[in-house]
Amino acid sequence: MCGILAVLGCSDDSQAKRVRVLELSRRLKHRGPDWSGLYQHGDCYLAHQRLAIIDPASGDQPLFNEDKSIVVTVNGEIYNHEDLRKRLPNHTFRTGSDCDVIAHLYEEYGENFVDMLDGMFSFVLLDTRDNSFIVARDAIGITSLYIGWGLDGNVSKRFWFMSTGMVIDGYIYVLFCAQFRIELNLMLVTSILSSYYAIFSGSIWISSELKGLNDDCEHFECFPPGHLYSSKLGGLKQWYNPLWFSEAIPSTPYDPLVLRRAFENAVIKRLMTDVPFGVLLSGGLDSSLVASITARHLAGTKAAKQWGTQLHSFCVGLEGSPDLKAAKEVSDYLGTVHHEFHFTVQDGIDAIEEVIYHIETYDVTTIRASTPMFLMARKIKSLGVKMVISGEGSDEIFGGYLYFHKAPNKEEFHRETCQKIKALHQYDCLRANKSTSAWGLEARVPFLDKEFINVAMAIDPEWKMIKKGEGRIEKWVLRKAFDDEERPYLPKHILYRQKEQFSDGVGYSWIDGLKAHAAQHVTNKMMLNAERIYPHNTPNTKEAYYYRMIFERFFPQNSARLSVPGGASIACSTAKAVEWDATWSTNLDPSGRAALGVHVSAYDNQVPSASNSIPEIIGNVPLKMEVSTPGVAIQS
């Protein structure tokens, strides 16, 4: 993943401003350590920190059209770039970069070309002929992106500010003209408009991460996935609007072969690389299928010709964790070169502050899962690997989380999956993107392929429902699609292994240890005052309070705390799904083990308490990370 930063219409073309933009861009250097670029046109700045994956030799950014009148800075991968080049026969490309097509597509099709892109991306495009610009983010939000507004500048546009109205301590805060704030006591307000119209006069900032703009913007927020910002229109428009977005109940019969082919195609297109790569392998269904398909189709690809046909796989966990055992078994079955990384609870605790700085959230389950992934990404990068393929997204599409066992009917099941996919950019996509980008490693996620999602979300959700009496466990339709007796993709017991959330699978004592550590740093008195200290998304556990304290040290702005989602959750559910079981409201925890009566190692089956087990966890496990296999051997 690369890092992009753009400052548009700031009314300042001085050297001092250029130096400031460069300084802020360097905050994103971990995302792209291979090269840096900055383009300035008057008071518009486009900066780029490059992670070179395709055409490492000549694909530096920003990129241009033939006469350099159109400039673009991009983070991501365009998997269909070769097909798109064929549709542009009258254009001359300067590089072999997959992102080089964007400027030329804009020349040919105007602002309506974004839906032609098949990939993960965020970009800023500046048309210097009229100083107009567009900003776009991929359909699901695999790449991270934020938009901010500064007080400087001459960009004068109209906005509907729904997200800038907020309720804090009994007051409505409304950002008006990005220059002053109106405070209205709730007691005096009988109705609140659903949207707020404002005239904004100031610069617009775009950044891959919060840290690139939070200190220089009056207000900032997450750039919505599947949207385009157009300076000509003066606002956002949704470019991605598939049928499932309406949450209407689909009726397409389940066809396992159609589903299988769609996912195989999604994996194959992500083998596009000019650098060494591998797969993340936890031993669960999703990552194991990704590894199996990659191993089957790697031979004959350009990547295989450059780096050899031996697939490398990577796993992380506490000593003796469920994932380590299952991943090793899958690796042996597929014949991958397997790299197993161990960490301890203390290793993870020591990394928490750095993790929160990089992933930019205080969401409990995201931090739990990001920490081992963050540690693993560093080890992977040290072995010379720059890209990995991962299994995020399957649980949202197929209802794989254990709380889906309690879905009352197919309608609620389907609506929950739709809501979960729409929120991925705030949770698993954010984790996968930022945990790996922290070390200059790119993660690709085939389950979030646009075409595959369309196929999977068109299936009548009755087929996805969990029915134990019929032998249908979570994600049964996916498991059945790859249950091939003649050419097995995976061993049966792996294909039908119960869902483990990543933060659980790395070792159950990981979460128990985090809770115990937080309890040592957050007192009962602090919890009593939590609602006054943190009125927005008030932490309801000591662990959540601990993460919130760290987050607010790094990102103290109100816009930053508003960028993180909240609400009740059980085993990663939405707040709505908590209503599916009356007992859940008293047992709120994002761990899969909170799904009492479903998970085989649910909390109610655990005898030792976290407080009793923490000294053993830290005391009996080596504090150093270990690599149990040799480094990556790259074949040429």
Side-chain angles (χ1 to χ4, degrees):
M1 287 296 172
C2 302
I4 64 173
L5 175 69
V7 184
L8 304 157
C10 62
S11 290
D12 185 353
D13 60 359
S14 67
Q15 178 63 18
K17 189 67 173 183
R18 184 181 179 93
V19 170
R20 178 58 177 165
V21 174
L22 283 168
E23 177 187 352
L24 294 173
S25 179
R26 280 194 289 271
R27 294 184 182 182
L28 308 176
K29 197 170 184 177
H30 53 274
R31 297 183 64 90
D34 296 334
W35 194 253
S36 302
L38 174 63
Y39 175 84
Q40 179 183 357
H41 178 73
D43 63 355
C44 293
Y45 301 81
L46 273 66
H48 191 265
Q49 300 288 344
R50 188 185 185 204
L51 179 65
I53 303 291
I54 304 297
D55 186 21
S58 66
D60 296 337
Q61 295 192 37
L63 296 165
F64 305 88
N65 66 335
E66 290 89 342
D67 63 6
K68 293 193 172 184
S69 61
I70 298 170
V71 193
V72 62
T73 180
V74 193
N75 168 36
E77 303 293 341
I78 310 301
Y79 302 122
N80 64 335
H81 74 104
E82 292 183 352
D83 291 335
L84 292 173
R85 286 171 185 256
K86 295 174 184 177
R87 299 174 64 172
L88 299 164
N90 299 321
H91 290 258
T92 301
F93 297 91
R94 295 173 178 271
T95 77
S97 168
D98 53 297
C99 297
D100 208 354
V101 297
I102 293 176
H104 302 278
L105 288 169
Y106 172 79
E107 272 192 300
E108 200 72 27
Y109 299 99
E111 296 182 351
N112 298 318
F113 73 90
V114 180
D115 196 30
M116 299 168 64
L117 302 176
D118 183 5
M120 54 178 183
F121 55 83
S122 349
F123 67 81
V124 180
L125 182 149
L126 175 66
D127 189 338
T128 63
R129 296 171 298 187
D130 59 5
N131 264 16
S132 64
F133 60 87
I134 61 172
V135 185
R137 188 179 184 189
D138 65 66
I140 305 299
I142 302 168
T143 59
S144 57
L145 194 66
Y146 297 86
I147 182 170
W149 294 269
L151 289 177
D152 55 338
N154 55 18
V155 179
S156 182
K157 298 296 178 185
R158 296 178 296 177
F159 296 93
W160 290 94
F161 278 129
M162 177 60 184
S163 59
T164 56
M166 61 206 79
V167 178
I168 301 175
D169 279 345
Y171 285 84
I172 303 173
Y173 288 73
V174 181
L175 184 70
F176 179 69
C177 298
Q179 294 181 34
F180 60 92
R181 189 167 54 199
I182 299 175
E183 300 178 2
L184 302 173
N185 194 297
L186 278 176
M187 299 298 292
L188 304 177
V189 178
T190 57
S191 64
I192 304 173
L193 294 178
S194 62
S195 56
Y196 184 79
Y197 181 82
I199 303 295
F200 173 77
S201 180
S203 55
I204 292 180
W205 295 60
I206 304 293
S207 176
S208 293
E209 296 184 2
L210 278 179
K211 59 184 67 69
L213 52 72
N214 67 306
D215 288 333
D216 289 67
C217 290
E218 177 71 12
H219 175 75
F220 50 89
E221 58 193 53
C222 176
F223 192 97
H227 279 71
L228 168 80
Y229 177 86
S230 166
S231 65
K232 293 178 181 177
L233 295 176
L236 292 162
K237 68 176 181 179
Q238 186 175 346
W239 66 263
Y240 180 64
N241 190 27
L243 291 175
W244 64 267
F245 242 62
S246 69
E247 301 184 14
I249 310 304
S251 58
T252 304
Y254 168 56
D255 186 329
L257 292 181
V258 169
L259 189 65
R260 182 198 294 185
R261 282 195 295 268
F263 188 59
E264 286 193 310
N265 290 337
V267 174
I268 291 167
K269 72 175 66 170
R270 282 160 179 79
L271 302 182
M272 176 188 83
T273 178
D274 291 332
V275 298
F277 81 103
V279 294
L280 302 186
L281 179 59
S282 70
L285 172 68
D286 308 326
S287 65
S288 298
L289 283 178
V290 169
S292 178
I293 295 168
T294 302
R296 284 193 180 203
H297 295 280
L298 181 57
T301 64
K302 181 182 176 183
K305 293 176 182 176
Q306 286 183 287
W307 309 109
T309 58
Q310 190 74 58
L311 179 64
H312 291 262
S313 56
F314 307 94
C315 185
V316 66
L318 301 177
E319 193 80 50
S321 68
D323 279 1
L324 292 181
K325 179 182 178 182
K328 180 65 167 62
E329 187 173 357
V330 175
S331 169
D332 290 343
Y333 183 82
L334 299 177
T336 69
V337 178
H338 192 55
H339 307 267
E340 182 179 287
F341 307 130
H342 299 166
F343 78 103
T344 69
V345 172
Q346 190 62 54
D347 290 328
I349 288 171
D350 290 344
I352 287 292
E353 292 205 11
E354 197 174 5
V355 168
I356 291 174
Y357 173 75
H358 277 288
I359 64 174
E360 303 175 323
T361 188
Y362 50 82
D363 175 69
V364 170
T365 190
T366 304
I367 294 169
R368 288 175 176 179
S370 293
T371 304
M373 195 170 193
F374 175 85
L375 296 172
M376 176 171 58
R378 186 176 192 180
K379 282 290 187 180
I380 293 173
K381 186 61 184 290
S382 74
L383 297 176
V385 171
K386 296 177 73 173
M387 185 272 282
V388 290
I389 308 178
S390 190
E392 279 76 16
S394 172
D395 292 314
E396 287 74 13
I397 295 170
F398 295 104
Y401 293 108
L402 297 185
Y403 72 89
F404 276 95
H405 281 248
K406 299 295 183 74
N409 52 60
K410 72 175 186 179
E411 290 80 13
E412 289 205 42
F413 188 107
H414 180 71
R415 282 191 286 268
E416 178 73 4
T417 60
C418 292
Q419 289 297 314
K420 290 292 292 181
I421 298 171
K422 292 175 183 178
L424 266 169
H425 67 286
Q426 297 176 302
Y427 297 101
D428 283 19
C429 285
L430 180 146
R431 167 181 56 79
N433 180 277
K434 293 182 180 179
S435 295
T436 53
S437 293
W439 302 108
L441 180 69
E442 176 174 286
R444 297 181 180 178
V445 283
F447 278 108
L448 298 181
D449 180 85
K450 282 194 300 182
E451 294 178 18
F452 176 72
I453 292 177
N454 287 341
V455 170
M457 292 303 289
I459 298 171
D460 186 332
E462 182 66 30
W463 288 96
K464 297 180 182 179
M465 290 283 287
I466 299 160
K467 298 183 179 181
K468 291 183 179 180
E470 300 176 20
R472 284 164 49 175
I473 63 173
E474 67 276 356
K475 293 187 285 193
W476 179 83
V477 293
L478 181 63
R479 301 175 196 271
K480 187 65 176 176
F482 287 91
D483 194 349
D484 190 327
E485 296 289 347
E486 294 183 4
R487 292 188 64 207
Y489 285 80
L490 294 167
K492 283 275 190 180
H493 64 282
I494 295 291
L495 192 61
Y496 290 93
R497 181 189 176 198
Q498 185 182 61
K499 162 68 184 173
E500 286 281 15
Q501 288 170 208
F502 185 56
S503 53
D504 288 324
V506 297
Y508 297 147
S509 55
W510 166 233
I511 292 177
D512 298 337
L514 285 174
K515 290 179 177 180
H517 177 75
Q520 296 170 1
H521 292 80
V522 179
T523 66
N524 293 336
K525 186 176 180 180
M526 293 166 72
M527 290 302 299
L528 288 174
N529 294 320
E531 192 170 359
R532 294 179 178 86
I533 302 299
Y534 302 116
H536 177 75
N537 282 347
T538 302
N540 57 10
T541 67
K542 290 184 177 182
E543 184 186 6
Y545 196 109
Y546 179 67
Y547 299 153
R548 185 66 172 271
M549 289 192 298
I550 299 170
F551 177 87
E552 299 248 354
R553 276 208 322 269
F554 291 128
F555 308 104
Q557 299 86 359
N558 194 51
S559 292
R561 64 180 65 99
L562 290 172
S563 71
V564 180
S569 177
I570 185 79
C572 289
S573 74
T574 65
K576 176 65 177 174
V578 174
E579 301 172 7
W580 292 352
D581 189 311
T583 64
W584 285 350
S585 61
T586 59
N587 187 51
L588 296 176
D589 190 285
S591 168
R593 288 186 293 155
L596 304 181
V598 178
H599 196 292
V600 294
S601 297
Y603 285 140
D604 59 351
N605 296 329
Q606 304 302 299
V607 177
S609 68
S611 59
N612 292 334
S613 62
I614 185 65
E616 288 189 33
I617 297 166
I618 297 177
N620 292 348
V621 181
L623 297 182
K624 298 281 187 180
M625 287 182 65
E626 301 172 356
V627 183
S628 62
T629 56
V632 179
I634 303 298
Q635 300 176 353
S636 58

